[in-house]
Amino acid sequence: MEPSNVIVVEETELISLQPKAEDPDSDQLALTFTSPLDEKGEWQTNYGDEGEYTVTVTASDGQLTTSKDVLLIVKKKEEPPEAWLKYIPPD
């Protein structure tokens, strides 16, 4: 299994891991991911997700497993300014 060890994104970007794994016996492999990744190895980041996250990707043939840690670094993304109007009725 050879996923990249460090992935850097900005808030609001989609993280989509696509690890490669091989079994020397040609057994079918199941891949699993720890949170915050979903079962497909994806995470749609949002504002406020800034930080570092260590996730584990595991490949299993049903009898044996191998795992690899990946560091996800989510950098702060500048948020657009907000504008609003307040209506004050005349007296």
Side-chain angles (χ1 to χ4, degrees):
M1 190 164 42
E2 294 291 330
S4 178
N5 289 335
V6 179
I7 295 173
V8 180
V9 299
E10 285 190 337
E11 292 171 324
T12 73
E13 287 186 58
L14 174 67
I15 296 173
S16 181
L17 296 187
Q18 297 177 350
K20 299 193 183 340
E22 294 180 8
D23 184 82
D25 302 318
S26 298
D27 294 331
Q28 186 172 0
L29 295 175
L31 296 173
T32 57
F33 306 89
T34 58
S35 182
L37 299 174
D38 65 14
E39 66 279 351
K40 294 186 286 183
E42 296 182 343
W43 177 29
Q44 177 62 59
T45 64
N46 291 303
Y47 291 111
D49 287 333
E50 175 187 16
E52 294 186 2
Y53 303 81
T54 300
V55 297
T56 303
V57 180
T58 301
S60 174
D61 66 1
Q63 294 181 350
L64 300 172
T65 62
T66 186
S67 297
K68 186 105 153 167
D69 287 339
V70 179
L71 177 62
L72 307 177
I73 300 173
V74 181
K75 292 187 172 189
K76 182 168 181 56
K77 180 178 182 180
E78 288 300 315
E79 296 184 52
E82 293 183 26
W84 61 92
L85 299 174
K86 180 178 180 183
Y87 174 72
I88 302 174
D91 290 335

